[in-house]
Amino acid sequence: MTLKLSPAPTALQDKIVVPGDRRYRLLRSTYTTVASPAAVLLPENTEQVVAALRFAREQGLPLSVRSGGHGLSGRSTNDGGVVIDLSTMNHVEVIDRAARIVRVEAGARWAQVAQALAPYGLAISSGDHGNVGVGGLATGGGIGWLVRHYGLTIDHIRAAEVVLADGTVVRAGADHEPELLWAVRGAGAGVGIVVAFEIEAIELRDVGYAQIAVQVDRGGRALRQWADYMASAPRELSTAVTLLPHGRALVASITAVVADASEQRVRAAIEPLLSIGSGLLDHHARLAPYPALVSTAHLHANVGQQPSTTTNGLLTSMTDDDAAAITAAATGPHQPLIQMRSMGGAVNDMPADATAYAHRHHGTLVIASTFPPRRGVELDAAWRPLAERVDGAYTGFESRPDKSAFERIYPDATGDRVGRLWNRYDPEGIFRGSWQLS
């Protein structure tokens, strides 16, 4: 059934995509979720975002806001509602080279950001895939390939331009609307539509990159070796581990990135990873320009190609029992995909109350995903032994944004503050979607 929408304002002419439009097929869904919104709006500037928001609210339909559409919850689309898609707002500008301040519009993809900054010798740590949108990641946290060296993406946001629920446009910074900026940095999805960020980049051109595969024991000793090394490793090194059952064996695929162009220092940082586990299966390393890690080759339309259910939690340090529980989950009957990200380093330099991401004393993020035909019930069964061991969670790897998830992502005083600010800036809860605070 096609819903009848009210006439579009002049500012949105040719910027409303409805079923039957040739563009609709490529705009209706996200990376994980196929959906059927009544309309997708494509504003090209802040004024048009205001008009789009007003038009969306007039329809009285569910509202979703999308930057890249990689969010695991699928919240950036809906069935029968309106989607404000920011993908045409993708400009990247170095506004102060000496201070390394970059203005990035929320609809840009991180591959475009890396490509635009490369001629200046600058980079922003920003997730691990070039197709991820700026807005979603930069309002949720930002665990990227440089995370232990740079910190989270939100740690370097200096200002943000936000369209509030009533259509007011606010520039939030340290000296004006600092509470709004605090919420944007980790809980921004609930305060408004962030249309642009001012982010402090770092000086970076080439990095060391290694792909390592090692055989690991089912008792978890190899995971302890990895976690123990990362606890003392140079903070230029960040790693991600994927556990892959292989026959009766378990393989750890380790991606290592060193924020340094010195071959000697890259080699020294990576070397201890080669002795993890019971056997080195594969290893290759090279120097590469940072944009190669979040390549423009990643750019693609999102058409629901990877349905999944995902949850996560953090470990301060990894005990033998923690490691054994992780390997048991990875090899168990429900077969979740288990991934781990090294944290610590620059992430933990920030005070816990400096942003809406409060988890500043952890060393490891553990992520579990199931894929069809397995569903949330199988994920919960596999995750149950780990749920008792982890502390907190990260919004970017949680596909079910309910009250329980909110309390893990925004614990205690952080959650109270997030709730107050969401209610202050969006009293009707139009941006809150499926988040339930009570």
Side-chain angles (χ1 to χ4, degrees):
M1 181 179 71
T2 302
L3 294 172
K4 184 173 178 59
L5 303 173
S6 61
T10 302
L12 296 179
Q13 291 297 324
D14 302 321
K15 295 176 177 60
I16 301 181
V17 179
V18 297
D21 188 303
R22 60 182 177 80
R23 298 169 291 177
Y24 184 79
R25 181 181 65 85
L26 298 178
L27 293 170
R28 62 186 293 184
S29 302
T30 72
Y31 183 61
T32 63
T33 306
V34 175
S36 298
V40 179
L41 312 184
L42 297 168
E44 296 180 357
N45 53 50
T46 301
E47 293 72 24
Q48 290 178 6
V49 171
V50 174
L53 177 59
R54 183 178 301 114
F55 175 80
R57 298 199 64 180
E58 288 171 353
Q59 311 312 307
L61 299 173
L63 172 66
S64 297
V65 180
R66 177 190 303 157
S67 59
H70 258 256
L72 297 180
S73 70
R75 291 178 61 234
S76 57
T77 192
N78 59 61
D79 288 316
V82 176
V83 175
I84 297 178
D85 183 307
L86 304 176
S87 58
T88 60
M89 297 179 63
N90 56 19
H91 187 61
V92 181
E93 179 186 5
V94 177
I95 58 176
D96 187 336
R97 178 60 183 86
R100 306 185 306 281
I101 301 298
V102 182
R103 185 180 187 274
V104 186
E105 289 186 331
R109 310 294 173 105
W110 287 109
Q112 297 167 320
V113 177
Q115 185 179 52
L117 297 186
Y120 298 91
L122 297 175
I124 297 170
S125 185
S126 51
D128 56 12
H129 195 276
N131 198 50
V132 172
V134 166
L137 183 132
T139 55
I143 299 173
W145 288 126
L146 310 173
V147 64
R148 298 182 68 253
H149 176 64
Y150 180 88
L152 303 177
T153 307
I154 61 171
D155 297 344
H156 298 270
I157 294 173
R158 301 295 175 248
E161 184 178 335
V162 188
V163 178
L164 300 180
D166 64 0
T168 303
V169 181
V170 178
R171 185 182 188 277
D175 299 325
H176 181 71
E177 291 282 3
E179 283 289 275
L180 179 58
L181 181 64
W182 182 91
V184 164
R185 297 168 71 188
V191 292
I193 303 175
V194 184
V195 295
F197 305 85
E198 292 178 15
I199 306 175
E200 183 180 348
I202 56 170
E203 303 277 354
L204 187 74
R205 292 187 183 274
D206 293 341
V207 298
Y209 171 83
Q211 196 69 50
I212 303 162
V214 298
Q215 187 165 313
V216 303
D217 61 290
R218 295 198 175 208
R221 179 174 174 272
L223 303 190
R224 272 293 307 273
Q225 289 178 303
W226 167 77
D228 289 348
Y229 171 56
M230 292 309 303
S232 60
R235 60 172 55 195
E236 288 79 12
L237 173 67
S238 297
T239 57
V241 179
T242 302
L243 297 181
L244 304 169
H246 183 66
R248 295 180 58 85
L250 186 65
V251 173
S253 174
I254 305 172
T255 301
V257 176
V258 184
D260 199 306
S262 162
E263 290 188 12
Q264 182 178 358
R265 287 191 288 271
V266 168
R267 190 178 300 112
I270 291 173
E271 186 87 21
L273 297 171
L274 307 181
S275 60
I276 288 173
S278 54
L280 178 63
L281 303 177
D282 188 31
H283 166 227
H284 59 269
R286 61 189 175 97
L287 292 179
Y290 176 71
L293 303 187
V294 285
S295 170
T296 54
H298 295 171
L299 298 176
H300 58 72
N302 291 315
V303 292
Q305 59 266 60
Q306 189 59 81
S308 61
T309 309
T310 298
T311 194
N312 71 95
L314 294 129
L315 294 169
T316 301
S317 58
M318 188 181 295
T319 67
D320 289 338
D321 289 342
D322 294 334
I326 293 169
T327 55
T331 57
H334 302 292
Q335 296 184 325
L337 176 69
I338 300 289
Q339 301 177 74
M340 296 178 295
R341 306 294 175 94
S342 59
M343 301 296 284
V347 177
N348 294 359
D349 289 345
M350 294 286 283
D353 62 354
T355 70
Y357 179 91
H359 312 292
R360 301 294 183 166
H361 61 279
H362 301 85
T364 302
L365 174 67
V366 185
I367 307 154
S369 302
T370 53
F371 306 91
R374 293 178 174 84
R375 301 162 298 163
V377 64
E378 287 89 356
L379 177 63
D380 291 340
W383 184 254
R384 196 165 293 119
L386 291 172
E388 301 169 356
R389 299 182 172 279
V390 295
D391 170 35
Y394 170 58
T395 188
F397 290 116
E398 179 55 62
S399 62
R400 295 171 292 182
D402 55 17
K403 184 174 185 292
S404 172
F406 181 92
E407 291 172 349
R408 290 182 288 116
I409 295 165
Y410 306 114
D412 306 323
T414 298
D416 294 341
R417 189 174 177 184
V418 168
R420 288 195 304 271
L421 293 174
W422 283 6
N423 287 328
R424 178 195 301 179
Y425 291 106
D426 179 21
E428 297 174 59
I430 67 168
F431 298 117
R432 205 163 297 162
S434 55
W435 287 111
Q436 299 297 323
L437 306 191
S438 60

